[in-house]
Amino acid sequence: MTNENPDDQWMQAAIAEARLAEAKGEVPVGAVIVHEGQIIGRGHNEREASQDPTQHAEMIAIRDAATRLGSWRLIDTALYVTLEPCPMCAGALVNARVPRVVWGCDDPKAGATRTLYNIGSDARLNHTFECVPDVLGDACSMLLSEFFAAIRAQNKPRNGR
């Protein structure tokens, strides 16, 4: 590792995953799971290619990490994701016992760790996790903004129609 802030370094890896999604025409969201200073899980959105609504970056990274650890309990790990987790992903993070979740930008339409819901810090659940928002948030937000701007430009009517 470099002298760079570790959270920034791992978020850069998640951004690299988001760029892989973007290259496939998927919404550019990427995630990595870190254990003992190593990435053990990677994922990026694959909903369009798979036509599977559960193929969010976080879900893919969780499955990858669980396979590598040989356990569904992802104890002593941290998830880094470019966009605040949705309710499905936040629930999976609770169930996987991930102790720390770091994200880039908030999701005003589906955010479930701070924006709309606080699933990760809800003491009524059997597990909670540390929530760390806004790590390289501007870069993560820009990825999404540019992606959706390009889609809107492609769908823009021509010649006033």
PDB file of all heavy atoms in Angstrom, residues 62 74 77-79 81 84-103 112-114 117-123 125-132:
ATOM      1  N   ILE A  62     -20.080  -9.777  -2.417  1.00  0.00           N
ATOM      2  CA  ILE A  62     -20.353 -10.604  -1.232  1.00  0.00           C
ATOM      3  C   ILE A  62     -20.212 -12.081  -1.580  1.00  0.00           C
ATOM      4  O   ILE A  62     -19.563 -12.843  -0.856  1.00  0.00           O
ATOM      5  CB  ILE A  62     -21.763 -10.300  -0.663  1.00  0.00           C
ATOM      6  CG1 ILE A  62     -21.785  -8.923  -0.002  1.00  0.00           C
ATOM      7  CG2 ILE A  62     -22.202 -11.385   0.322  1.00  0.00           C
ATOM      8  CD1 ILE A  62     -23.192  -8.422   0.323  1.00  0.00           C
ATOM      9  N   LEU A  74     -18.722 -12.798   6.823  1.00  0.00           N
ATOM     10  CA  LEU A  74     -17.607 -11.975   6.334  1.00  0.00           C
ATOM     11  C   LEU A  74     -17.074 -11.083   7.457  1.00  0.00           C
ATOM     12  O   LEU A  74     -17.017  -9.866   7.351  1.00  0.00           O
ATOM     13  CB  LEU A  74     -18.060 -11.159   5.119  1.00  0.00           C
ATOM     14  CG  LEU A  74     -18.570 -11.989   3.941  1.00  0.00           C
ATOM     15  CD1 LEU A  74     -18.934 -11.091   2.775  1.00  0.00           C
ATOM     16  CD2 LEU A  74     -17.556 -13.043   3.524  1.00  0.00           C
ATOM     17  N   THR A  77     -14.061  -7.815   7.668  1.00  0.00           N
ATOM     18  CA  THR A  77     -13.969  -7.326   6.306  1.00  0.00           C
ATOM     19  C   THR A  77     -14.517  -5.905   6.242  1.00  0.00           C
ATOM     20  O   THR A  77     -15.135  -5.415   7.193  1.00  0.00           O
ATOM     21  CB  THR A  77     -14.772  -8.193   5.319  1.00  0.00           C
ATOM     22  OG1 THR A  77     -16.161  -8.107   5.643  1.00  0.00           O
ATOM     23  CG2 THR A  77     -14.309  -9.638   5.323  1.00  0.00           C
ATOM     24  N   ALA A  78     -14.288  -5.268   5.117  1.00  0.00           N
ATOM     25  CA  ALA A  78     -14.906  -3.974   4.821  1.00  0.00           C
ATOM     26  C   ALA A  78     -15.335  -3.993   3.366  1.00  0.00           C
ATOM     27  O   ALA A  78     -14.602  -4.483   2.506  1.00  0.00           O
ATOM     28  CB  ALA A  78     -13.929  -2.834   5.072  1.00  0.00           C
ATOM     29  N   LEU A  79     -16.518  -3.483   3.107  1.00  0.00           N
ATOM     30  CA  LEU A  79     -17.011  -3.349   1.741  1.00  0.00           C
ATOM     31  C   LEU A  79     -16.844  -1.890   1.315  1.00  0.00           C
ATOM     32  O   LEU A  79     -17.193  -0.979   2.063  1.00  0.00           O
ATOM     33  CB  LEU A  79     -18.482  -3.721   1.638  1.00  0.00           C
ATOM     34  CG  LEU A  79     -19.063  -3.413   0.262  1.00  0.00           C
ATOM     35  CD1 LEU A  79     -19.303  -4.690  -0.510  1.00  0.00           C
ATOM     36  CD2 LEU A  79     -20.321  -2.594   0.352  1.00  0.00           C
ATOM     37  N   VAL A  81     -17.950   0.562  -1.842  1.00  0.00           N
ATOM     38  CA  VAL A  81     -18.852   0.616  -2.988  1.00  0.00           C
ATOM     39  C   VAL A  81     -19.026   2.066  -3.419  1.00  0.00           C
ATOM     40  O   VAL A  81     -19.044   2.973  -2.585  1.00  0.00           O
ATOM     41  CB  VAL A  81     -20.203  -0.064  -2.653  1.00  0.00           C
ATOM     42  CG1 VAL A  81     -20.933   0.642  -1.515  1.00  0.00           C
ATOM     43  CG2 VAL A  81     -21.074  -0.187  -3.885  1.00  0.00           C
ATOM     44  N   GLU A  84     -24.103   4.416  -2.416  1.00  0.00           N
ATOM     45  CA  GLU A  84     -24.738   3.951  -1.176  1.00  0.00           C
ATOM     46  C   GLU A  84     -25.600   2.710  -1.444  1.00  0.00           C
ATOM     47  O   GLU A  84     -26.387   2.692  -2.386  1.00  0.00           O
ATOM     48  CB  GLU A  84     -25.611   5.083  -0.621  1.00  0.00           C
ATOM     49  CG  GLU A  84     -26.351   4.734   0.639  1.00  0.00           C
ATOM     50  CD  GLU A  84     -27.272   5.857   1.101  1.00  0.00           C
ATOM     51  OE1 GLU A  84     -27.426   6.864   0.381  1.00  0.00           O
ATOM     52  OE2 GLU A  84     -27.853   5.708   2.193  1.00  0.00           O
ATOM     53  N   PRO A  85     -25.456   1.676  -0.630  1.00  0.00           N
ATOM     54  CA  PRO A  85     -26.229   0.445  -0.836  1.00  0.00           C
ATOM     55  C   PRO A  85     -27.738   0.657  -0.758  1.00  0.00           C
ATOM     56  O   PRO A  85     -28.235   1.472   0.025  1.00  0.00           O
ATOM     57  CB  PRO A  85     -25.752  -0.467   0.291  1.00  0.00           C
ATOM     58  CG  PRO A  85     -24.364   0.014   0.584  1.00  0.00           C
ATOM     59  CD  PRO A  85     -24.450   1.512   0.431  1.00  0.00           C
ATOM     60  N   CYS A  86     -28.448  -0.116  -1.566  1.00  0.00           N
ATOM     61  CA  CYS A  86     -29.913  -0.127  -1.572  1.00  0.00           C
ATOM     62  C   CYS A  86     -30.402  -1.040  -0.431  1.00  0.00           C
ATOM     63  O   CYS A  86     -29.596  -1.696   0.232  1.00  0.00           O
ATOM     64  CB  CYS A  86     -30.406  -0.643  -2.930  1.00  0.00           C
ATOM     65  SG  CYS A  86     -30.157  -2.419  -3.170  1.00  0.00           S
ATOM     66  N   PRO A  87     -31.718  -1.133  -0.209  1.00  0.00           N
ATOM     67  CA  PRO A  87     -32.215  -2.012   0.858  1.00  0.00           C
ATOM     68  C   PRO A  87     -31.802  -3.475   0.697  1.00  0.00           C
ATOM     69  O   PRO A  87     -31.443  -4.124   1.687  1.00  0.00           O
ATOM     70  CB  PRO A  87     -33.738  -1.850   0.767  1.00  0.00           C
ATOM     71  CG  PRO A  87     -33.928  -0.468   0.211  1.00  0.00           C
ATOM     72  CD  PRO A  87     -32.803  -0.305  -0.779  1.00  0.00           C
ATOM     73  N   MET A  88     -31.830  -4.004  -0.527  1.00  0.00           N
ATOM     74  CA  MET A  88     -31.437  -5.401  -0.735  1.00  0.00           C
ATOM     75  C   MET A  88     -29.982  -5.617  -0.322  1.00  0.00           C
ATOM     76  O   MET A  88     -29.658  -6.563   0.405  1.00  0.00           O
ATOM     77  CB  MET A  88     -31.621  -5.794  -2.211  1.00  0.00           C
ATOM     78  CG  MET A  88     -31.066  -7.164  -2.564  1.00  0.00           C
ATOM     79  SD  MET A  88     -31.200  -7.563  -4.323  1.00  0.00           S
ATOM     80  CE  MET A  88     -30.038  -6.418  -5.062  1.00  0.00           C
ATOM     81  N   CYS A  89     -29.114  -4.740  -0.794  1.00  0.00           N
ATOM     82  CA  CYS A  89     -27.684  -4.908  -0.522  1.00  0.00           C
ATOM     83  C   CYS A  89     -27.360  -4.647   0.947  1.00  0.00           C
ATOM     84  O   CYS A  89     -26.558  -5.367   1.540  1.00  0.00           O
ATOM     85  CB  CYS A  89     -26.868  -4.002  -1.441  1.00  0.00           C
ATOM     86  SG  CYS A  89     -27.015  -4.474  -3.182  1.00  0.00           S
ATOM     87  N   ALA A  90     -27.992  -3.644   1.536  1.00  0.00           N
ATOM     88  CA  ALA A  90     -27.767  -3.370   2.960  1.00  0.00           C
ATOM     89  C   ALA A  90     -28.209  -4.559   3.800  1.00  0.00           C
ATOM     90  O   ALA A  90     -27.525  -4.946   4.757  1.00  0.00           O
ATOM     91  CB  ALA A  90     -28.487  -2.097   3.381  1.00  0.00           C
ATOM     92  N   GLY A  91     -29.320  -5.167   3.431  1.00  0.00           N
ATOM     93  CA  GLY A  91     -29.781  -6.363   4.145  1.00  0.00           C
ATOM     94  C   GLY A  91     -28.802  -7.515   4.003  1.00  0.00           C
ATOM     95  O   GLY A  91     -28.524  -8.232   4.971  1.00  0.00           O
ATOM     96  N   ALA A  92     -28.266  -7.689   2.804  1.00  0.00           N
ATOM     97  CA  ALA A  92     -27.278  -8.755   2.602  1.00  0.00           C
ATOM     98  C   ALA A  92     -26.018  -8.489   3.415  1.00  0.00           C
ATOM     99  O   ALA A  92     -25.411  -9.424   3.951  1.00  0.00           O
ATOM    100  CB  ALA A  92     -26.938  -8.885   1.118  1.00  0.00           C
ATOM    101  N   LEU A  93     -25.628  -7.229   3.538  1.00  0.00           N
ATOM    102  CA  LEU A  93     -24.442  -6.885   4.333  1.00  0.00           C
ATOM    103  C   LEU A  93     -24.672  -7.179   5.813  1.00  0.00           C
ATOM    104  O   LEU A  93     -23.769  -7.646   6.504  1.00  0.00           O
ATOM    105  CB  LEU A  93     -24.064  -5.415   4.106  1.00  0.00           C
ATOM    106  CG  LEU A  93     -23.548  -5.114   2.703  1.00  0.00           C
ATOM    107  CD1 LEU A  93     -23.627  -3.628   2.396  1.00  0.00           C
ATOM    108  CD2 LEU A  93     -22.133  -5.642   2.535  1.00  0.00           C
ATOM    109  N   VAL A  94     -25.880  -6.927   6.295  1.00  0.00           N
ATOM    110  CA  VAL A  94     -26.229  -7.297   7.672  1.00  0.00           C
ATOM    111  C   VAL A  94     -26.126  -8.807   7.824  1.00  0.00           C
ATOM    112  O   VAL A  94     -25.494  -9.321   8.748  1.00  0.00           O
ATOM    113  CB  VAL A  94     -27.651  -6.801   8.038  1.00  0.00           C
ATOM    114  CG1 VAL A  94     -28.146  -7.452   9.327  1.00  0.00           C
ATOM    115  CG2 VAL A  94     -27.682  -5.287   8.161  1.00  0.00           C
ATOM    116  N   ASN A  95     -26.745  -9.546   6.912  1.00  0.00           N
ATOM    117  CA  ASN A  95     -26.757 -11.006   7.006  1.00  0.00           C
ATOM    118  C   ASN A  95     -25.366 -11.616   6.871  1.00  0.00           C
ATOM    119  O   ASN A  95     -25.091 -12.663   7.459  1.00  0.00           O
ATOM    120  CB  ASN A  95     -27.702 -11.596   5.961  1.00  0.00           C
ATOM    121  CG  ASN A  95     -29.146 -11.400   6.362  1.00  0.00           C
ATOM    122  OD1 ASN A  95     -29.484 -11.462   7.530  1.00  0.00           O
ATOM    123  ND2 ASN A  95     -29.992 -11.144   5.378  1.00  0.00           N
ATOM    124  N   ALA A  96     -24.494 -10.978   6.106  1.00  0.00           N
ATOM    125  CA  ALA A  96     -23.123 -11.480   5.924  1.00  0.00           C
ATOM    126  C   ALA A  96     -22.197 -11.061   7.063  1.00  0.00           C
ATOM    127  O   ALA A  96     -21.032 -11.458   7.089  1.00  0.00           O
ATOM    128  CB  ALA A  96     -22.565 -10.997   4.582  1.00  0.00           C
ATOM    129  N   ARG A  97     -22.707 -10.263   7.988  1.00  0.00           N
ATOM    130  CA  ARG A  97     -21.928  -9.813   9.156  1.00  0.00           C
ATOM    131  C   ARG A  97     -20.739  -8.922   8.776  1.00  0.00           C
ATOM    132  O   ARG A  97     -19.719  -8.905   9.469  1.00  0.00           O
ATOM    133  CB  ARG A  97     -21.427 -10.983  10.002  1.00  0.00           C
ATOM    134  CG  ARG A  97     -22.451 -12.020  10.397  1.00  0.00           C
ATOM    135  CD  ARG A  97     -23.539 -11.432  11.302  1.00  0.00           C
ATOM    136  NE  ARG A  97     -24.326 -12.474  11.935  1.00  0.00           N
ATOM    137  CZ  ARG A  97     -25.457 -12.983  11.448  1.00  0.00           C
ATOM    138  NH1 ARG A  97     -25.917 -12.582  10.281  1.00  0.00           N
ATOM    139  NH2 ARG A  97     -26.127 -13.899  12.122  1.00  0.00           N
ATOM    140  N   VAL A  98     -20.859  -8.186   7.679  1.00  0.00           N
ATOM    141  CA  VAL A  98     -19.796  -7.249   7.291  1.00  0.00           C
ATOM    142  C   VAL A  98     -19.770  -6.141   8.343  1.00  0.00           C
ATOM    143  O   VAL A  98     -20.790  -5.510   8.600  1.00  0.00           O
ATOM    144  CB  VAL A  98     -20.055  -6.682   5.881  1.00  0.00           C
ATOM    145  CG1 VAL A  98     -19.060  -5.581   5.542  1.00  0.00           C
ATOM    146  CG2 VAL A  98     -20.000  -7.801   4.849  1.00  0.00           C
ATOM    147  N   PRO A  99     -18.627  -5.876   8.964  1.00  0.00           N
ATOM    148  CA  PRO A  99     -18.587  -4.895  10.042  1.00  0.00           C
ATOM    149  C   PRO A  99     -18.421  -3.428   9.602  1.00  0.00           C
ATOM    150  O   PRO A  99     -18.683  -2.523  10.384  1.00  0.00           O
ATOM    151  CB  PRO A  99     -17.384  -5.325  10.877  1.00  0.00           C
ATOM    152  CG  PRO A  99     -16.513  -6.062   9.930  1.00  0.00           C
ATOM    153  CD  PRO A  99     -17.413  -6.686   8.911  1.00  0.00           C
ATOM    154  N   ARG A 100     -17.996  -3.209   8.353  1.00  0.00           N
ATOM    155  CA  ARG A 100     -17.710  -1.829   7.923  1.00  0.00           C
ATOM    156  C   ARG A 100     -18.094  -1.668   6.458  1.00  0.00           C
ATOM    157  O   ARG A 100     -17.681  -2.460   5.616  1.00  0.00           O
ATOM    158  CB  ARG A 100     -16.222  -1.533   8.114  1.00  0.00           C
ATOM    159  CG  ARG A 100     -15.831  -0.102   7.874  1.00  0.00           C
ATOM    160  CD  ARG A 100     -14.401   0.136   8.398  1.00  0.00           C
ATOM    161  NE  ARG A 100     -14.098   1.548   8.407  1.00  0.00           N
ATOM    162  CZ  ARG A 100     -13.374   2.149   7.470  1.00  0.00           C
ATOM    163  NH1 ARG A 100     -12.844   1.467   6.472  1.00  0.00           N
ATOM    164  NH2 ARG A 100     -13.161   3.458   7.537  1.00  0.00           N
ATOM    165  N   VAL A 101     -18.889  -0.629   6.176  1.00  0.00           N
ATOM    166  CA  VAL A 101     -19.328  -0.342   4.813  1.00  0.00           C
ATOM    167  C   VAL A 101     -18.966   1.099   4.487  1.00  0.00           C
ATOM    168  O   VAL A 101     -19.351   2.026   5.198  1.00  0.00           O
ATOM    169  CB  VAL A 101     -20.845  -0.579   4.654  1.00  0.00           C
ATOM    170  CG1 VAL A 101     -21.315  -0.185   3.264  1.00  0.00           C
ATOM    171  CG2 VAL A 101     -21.175  -2.044   4.947  1.00  0.00           C
ATOM    172  N   VAL A 102     -18.218   1.249   3.408  1.00  0.00           N
ATOM    173  CA  VAL A 102     -17.718   2.554   2.971  1.00  0.00           C
ATOM    174  C   VAL A 102     -18.294   2.809   1.583  1.00  0.00           C
ATOM    175  O   VAL A 102     -18.204   1.946   0.712  1.00  0.00           O
ATOM    176  CB  VAL A 102     -16.169   2.542   2.901  1.00  0.00           C
ATOM    177  CG1 VAL A 102     -15.632   3.898   2.469  1.00  0.00           C
ATOM    178  CG2 VAL A 102     -15.569   2.108   4.237  1.00  0.00           C
ATOM    179  N   TRP A 103     -18.892   3.987   1.373  1.00  0.00           N
ATOM    180  CA  TRP A 103     -19.416   4.281   0.049  1.00  0.00           C
ATOM    181  C   TRP A 103     -19.008   5.667  -0.416  1.00  0.00           C
ATOM    182  O   TRP A 103     -18.626   6.510   0.372  1.00  0.00           O
ATOM    183  CB  TRP A 103     -20.929   4.083  -0.017  1.00  0.00           C
ATOM    184  CG  TRP A 103     -21.767   5.045   0.767  1.00  0.00           C
ATOM    185  CD1 TRP A 103     -22.282   6.238   0.333  1.00  0.00           C
ATOM    186  CD2 TRP A 103     -22.207   4.901   2.120  1.00  0.00           C
ATOM    187  NE1 TRP A 103     -23.018   6.832   1.328  1.00  0.00           N
ATOM    188  CE2 TRP A 103     -22.988   6.030   2.428  1.00  0.00           C
ATOM    189  CE3 TRP A 103     -22.019   3.919   3.091  1.00  0.00           C
ATOM    190  CZ2 TRP A 103     -23.581   6.208   3.683  1.00  0.00           C
ATOM    191  CZ3 TRP A 103     -22.600   4.104   4.334  1.00  0.00           C
ATOM    192  CH2 TRP A 103     -23.365   5.229   4.620  1.00  0.00           C
ATOM    193  N   ALA A 112     -29.973   3.064   1.478  1.00  0.00           N
ATOM    194  CA  ALA A 112     -30.516   2.376   2.653  1.00  0.00           C
ATOM    195  C   ALA A 112     -29.541   2.326   3.820  1.00  0.00           C
ATOM    196  O   ALA A 112     -29.767   1.598   4.783  1.00  0.00           O
ATOM    197  CB  ALA A 112     -30.941   0.966   2.267  1.00  0.00           C
ATOM    198  N   THR A 113     -28.455   3.095   3.745  1.00  0.00           N
ATOM    199  CA  THR A 113     -27.527   3.129   4.876  1.00  0.00           C
ATOM    200  C   THR A 113     -27.444   4.521   5.507  1.00  0.00           C
ATOM    201  O   THR A 113     -26.839   4.677   6.554  1.00  0.00           O
ATOM    202  CB  THR A 113     -26.121   2.660   4.461  1.00  0.00           C
ATOM    203  OG1 THR A 113     -25.695   3.403   3.327  1.00  0.00           O
ATOM    204  CG2 THR A 113     -26.106   1.179   4.134  1.00  0.00           C
ATOM    205  N   ARG A 114     -28.073   5.511   4.826  1.00  0.00           N
ATOM    206  CA  ARG A 114     -28.110   6.860   5.386  1.00  0.00           C
ATOM    207  C   ARG A 114     -29.230   7.701   4.788  1.00  0.00           C
ATOM    208  O   ARG A 114     -29.947   8.359   5.513  1.00  0.00           O
ATOM    209  CB  ARG A 114     -26.767   7.556   5.173  1.00  0.00           C
ATOM    210  CG  ARG A 114     -26.775   9.013   5.624  1.00  0.00           C
ATOM    211  CD  ARG A 114     -25.412   9.615   5.695  1.00  0.00           C
ATOM    212  NE  ARG A 114     -24.973  10.183   4.434  1.00  0.00           N
ATOM    213  CZ  ARG A 114     -24.002  11.069   4.346  1.00  0.00           C
ATOM    214  NH1 ARG A 114     -23.370  11.453   5.439  1.00  0.00           N
ATOM    215  NH2 ARG A 114     -23.633  11.545   3.184  1.00  0.00           N
ATOM    216  N   TYR A 117     -32.976   5.140   4.443  1.00  0.00           N
ATOM    217  CA  TYR A 117     -33.057   4.202   5.561  1.00  0.00           C
ATOM    218  C   TYR A 117     -31.691   4.118   6.229  1.00  0.00           C
ATOM    219  O   TYR A 117     -30.691   4.533   5.669  1.00  0.00           O
ATOM    220  CB  TYR A 117     -33.459   2.793   5.079  1.00  0.00           C
ATOM    221  CG  TYR A 117     -34.717   2.781   4.254  1.00  0.00           C
ATOM    222  CD1 TYR A 117     -34.656   2.704   2.868  1.00  0.00           C
ATOM    223  CD2 TYR A 117     -35.965   2.856   4.859  1.00  0.00           C
ATOM    224  CE1 TYR A 117     -35.814   2.699   2.101  1.00  0.00           C
ATOM    225  CE2 TYR A 117     -37.127   2.852   4.101  1.00  0.00           C
ATOM    226  CZ  TYR A 117     -37.037   2.778   2.726  1.00  0.00           C
ATOM    227  OH  TYR A 117     -38.180   2.778   1.969  1.00  0.00           O
ATOM    228  N   ASN A 118     -31.666   3.559   7.417  1.00  0.00           N
ATOM    229  CA  ASN A 118     -30.421   3.376   8.164  1.00  0.00           C
ATOM    230  C   ASN A 118     -30.270   1.906   8.558  1.00  0.00           C
ATOM    231  O   ASN A 118     -30.062   1.582   9.727  1.00  0.00           O
ATOM    232  CB  ASN A 118     -30.399   4.271   9.405  1.00  0.00           C
ATOM    233  CG  ASN A 118     -30.414   5.732   9.045  1.00  0.00           C
ATOM    234  OD1 ASN A 118     -29.565   6.198   8.282  1.00  0.00           O
ATOM    235  ND2 ASN A 118     -31.393   6.462   9.551  1.00  0.00           N
ATOM    236  N   ILE A 119     -30.359   1.043   7.586  1.00  0.00           N
ATOM    237  CA  ILE A 119     -30.354  -0.397   7.860  1.00  0.00           C
ATOM    238  C   ILE A 119     -29.087  -0.828   8.591  1.00  0.00           C
ATOM    239  O   ILE A 119     -29.155  -1.602   9.537  1.00  0.00           O
ATOM    240  CB  ILE A 119     -30.576  -1.197   6.555  1.00  0.00           C
ATOM    241  CG1 ILE A 119     -32.014  -0.974   6.066  1.00  0.00           C
ATOM    242  CG2 ILE A 119     -30.275  -2.683   6.767  1.00  0.00           C
ATOM    243  CD1 ILE A 119     -32.333  -1.568   4.718  1.00  0.00           C
ATOM    244  N   GLY A 120     -27.945  -0.310   8.190  1.00  0.00           N
ATOM    245  CA  GLY A 120     -26.684  -0.728   8.801  1.00  0.00           C
ATOM    246  C   GLY A 120     -26.532  -0.354  10.254  1.00  0.00           C
ATOM    247  O   GLY A 120     -25.771  -0.987  10.983  1.00  0.00           O
ATOM    248  N   SER A 121     -27.262   0.672  10.698  1.00  0.00           N
ATOM    249  CA  SER A 121     -27.127   1.104  12.091  1.00  0.00           C
ATOM    250  C   SER A 121     -28.411   0.891  12.897  1.00  0.00           C
ATOM    251  O   SER A 121     -28.531   1.406  14.006  1.00  0.00           O
ATOM    252  CB  SER A 121     -26.720   2.578  12.141  1.00  0.00           C
ATOM    253  OG  SER A 121     -27.649   3.380  11.434  1.00  0.00           O
ATOM    254  N   ASP A 122     -29.324   0.097  12.386  1.00  0.00           N
ATOM    255  CA  ASP A 122     -30.573  -0.173  13.072  1.00  0.00           C
ATOM    256  C   ASP A 122     -30.352  -1.250  14.137  1.00  0.00           C
ATOM    257  O   ASP A 122     -30.168  -2.429  13.830  1.00  0.00           O
ATOM    258  CB  ASP A 122     -31.634  -0.631  12.065  1.00  0.00           C
ATOM    259  CG  ASP A 122     -33.029  -0.712  12.668  1.00  0.00           C
ATOM    260  OD1 ASP A 122     -33.140  -0.967  13.896  1.00  0.00           O
ATOM    261  OD2 ASP A 122     -33.996  -0.539  11.911  1.00  0.00           O
ATOM    262  N   ALA A 123     -30.370  -0.842  15.392  1.00  0.00           N
ATOM    263  CA  ALA A 123     -30.074  -1.739  16.513  1.00  0.00           C
ATOM    264  C   ALA A 123     -31.117  -2.844  16.680  1.00  0.00           C
ATOM    265  O   ALA A 123     -30.879  -3.802  17.420  1.00  0.00           O
ATOM    266  CB  ALA A 123     -29.958  -0.943  17.802  1.00  0.00           C
ATOM    267  N   LEU A 125     -31.850  -4.896  14.416  1.00  0.00           N
ATOM    268  CA  LEU A 125     -31.385  -6.036  13.632  1.00  0.00           C
ATOM    269  C   LEU A 125     -30.325  -6.815  14.406  1.00  0.00           C
ATOM    270  O   LEU A 125     -29.732  -6.307  15.353  1.00  0.00           O
ATOM    271  CB  LEU A 125     -30.833  -5.550  12.289  1.00  0.00           C
ATOM    272  CG  LEU A 125     -31.857  -4.834  11.413  1.00  0.00           C
ATOM    273  CD1 LEU A 125     -31.184  -4.244  10.190  1.00  0.00           C
ATOM    274  CD2 LEU A 125     -32.976  -5.788  11.017  1.00  0.00           C
ATOM    275  N   ASN A 126     -30.056  -8.041  13.967  1.00  0.00           N
ATOM    276  CA  ASN A 126     -29.116  -8.898  14.700  1.00  0.00           C
ATOM    277  C   ASN A 126     -27.660  -8.516  14.473  1.00  0.00           C
ATOM    278  O   ASN A 126     -26.771  -9.052  15.124  1.00  0.00           O
ATOM    279  CB  ASN A 126     -29.330 -10.362  14.314  1.00  0.00           C
ATOM    280  CG  ASN A 126     -29.006 -10.628  12.856  1.00  0.00           C
ATOM    281  OD1 ASN A 126     -29.138  -9.755  12.013  1.00  0.00           O
ATOM    282  ND2 ASN A 126     -28.593 -11.842  12.554  1.00  0.00           N
ATOM    283  N   HIS A 127     -27.385  -7.616  13.534  1.00  0.00           N
ATOM    284  CA  HIS A 127     -26.022  -7.161  13.263  1.00  0.00           C
ATOM    285  C   HIS A 127     -26.112  -5.729  12.761  1.00  0.00           C
ATOM    286  O   HIS A 127     -27.053  -5.359  12.064  1.00  0.00           O
ATOM    287  CB  HIS A 127     -25.373  -8.056  12.202  1.00  0.00           C
ATOM    288  CG  HIS A 127     -24.054  -7.563  11.725  1.00  0.00           C
ATOM    289  ND1 HIS A 127     -22.904  -7.677  12.478  1.00  0.00           N
ATOM    290  CD2 HIS A 127     -23.697  -6.928  10.588  1.00  0.00           C
ATOM    291  CE1 HIS A 127     -21.896  -7.147  11.806  1.00  0.00           C
ATOM    292  NE2 HIS A 127     -22.345  -6.676  10.657  1.00  0.00           N
ATOM    293  N   THR A 128     -25.150  -4.924  13.128  1.00  0.00           N
ATOM    294  CA  THR A 128     -25.034  -3.576  12.581  1.00  0.00           C
ATOM    295  C   THR A 128     -23.633  -3.428  12.015  1.00  0.00           C
ATOM    296  O   THR A 128     -22.742  -4.236  12.300  1.00  0.00           O
ATOM    297  CB  THR A 128     -25.273  -2.488  13.650  1.00  0.00           C
ATOM    298  OG1 THR A 128     -24.327  -2.642  14.701  1.00  0.00           O
ATOM    299  CG2 THR A 128     -26.695  -2.560  14.201  1.00  0.00           C
ATOM    300  N   PHE A 129     -23.443  -2.405  11.188  1.00  0.00           N
ATOM    301  CA  PHE A 129     -22.114  -2.147  10.658  1.00  0.00           C
ATOM    302  C   PHE A 129     -21.803  -0.665  10.702  1.00  0.00           C
ATOM    303  O   PHE A 129     -22.696   0.177  10.720  1.00  0.00           O
ATOM    304  CB  PHE A 129     -21.936  -2.718   9.249  1.00  0.00           C
ATOM    305  CG  PHE A 129     -22.998  -2.366   8.237  1.00  0.00           C
ATOM    306  CD1 PHE A 129     -23.028  -1.120   7.620  1.00  0.00           C
ATOM    307  CD2 PHE A 129     -23.945  -3.302   7.867  1.00  0.00           C
ATOM    308  CE1 PHE A 129     -23.980  -0.811   6.671  1.00  0.00           C
ATOM    309  CE2 PHE A 129     -24.911  -3.008   6.908  1.00  0.00           C
ATOM    310  CZ  PHE A 129     -24.929  -1.756   6.306  1.00  0.00           C
ATOM    311  N   GLU A 130     -20.508  -0.382  10.759  1.00  0.00           N
ATOM    312  CA  GLU A 130     -20.031   0.993  10.711  1.00  0.00           C
ATOM    313  C   GLU A 130     -20.302   1.542   9.311  1.00  0.00           C
ATOM    314  O   GLU A 130     -20.005   0.889   8.310  1.00  0.00           O
ATOM    315  CB  GLU A 130     -18.532   1.047  11.010  1.00  0.00           C
ATOM    316  CG  GLU A 130     -17.938   2.431  10.909  1.00  0.00           C
ATOM    317  CD  GLU A 130     -16.421   2.447  11.046  1.00  0.00           C
ATOM    318  OE1 GLU A 130     -15.804   1.369  11.187  1.00  0.00           O
ATOM    319  OE2 GLU A 130     -15.863   3.543  10.987  1.00  0.00           O
ATOM    320  N   CYS A 131     -20.852   2.737   9.245  1.00  0.00           N
ATOM    321  CA  CYS A 131     -21.151   3.389   7.971  1.00  0.00           C
ATOM    322  C   CYS A 131     -20.185   4.545   7.755  1.00  0.00           C
ATOM    323  O   CYS A 131     -20.081   5.436   8.601  1.00  0.00           O
ATOM    324  CB  CYS A 131     -22.573   3.924   7.980  1.00  0.00           C
ATOM    325  SG  CYS A 131     -23.836   2.645   8.068  1.00  0.00           S
ATOM    326  N   VAL A 132     -19.479   4.525   6.627  1.00  0.00           N
ATOM    327  CA  VAL A 132     -18.522   5.579   6.293  1.00  0.00           C
ATOM    328  C   VAL A 132     -18.897   6.136   4.918  1.00  0.00           C
ATOM    329  O   VAL A 132     -18.575   5.536   3.894  1.00  0.00           O
ATOM    330  CB  VAL A 132     -17.073   5.041   6.284  1.00  0.00           C
ATOM    331  CG1 VAL A 132     -16.090   6.166   5.992  1.00  0.00           C
ATOM    332  CG2 VAL A 132     -16.740   4.344   7.602  1.00  0.00           C
TER     333      VAL A 132
END
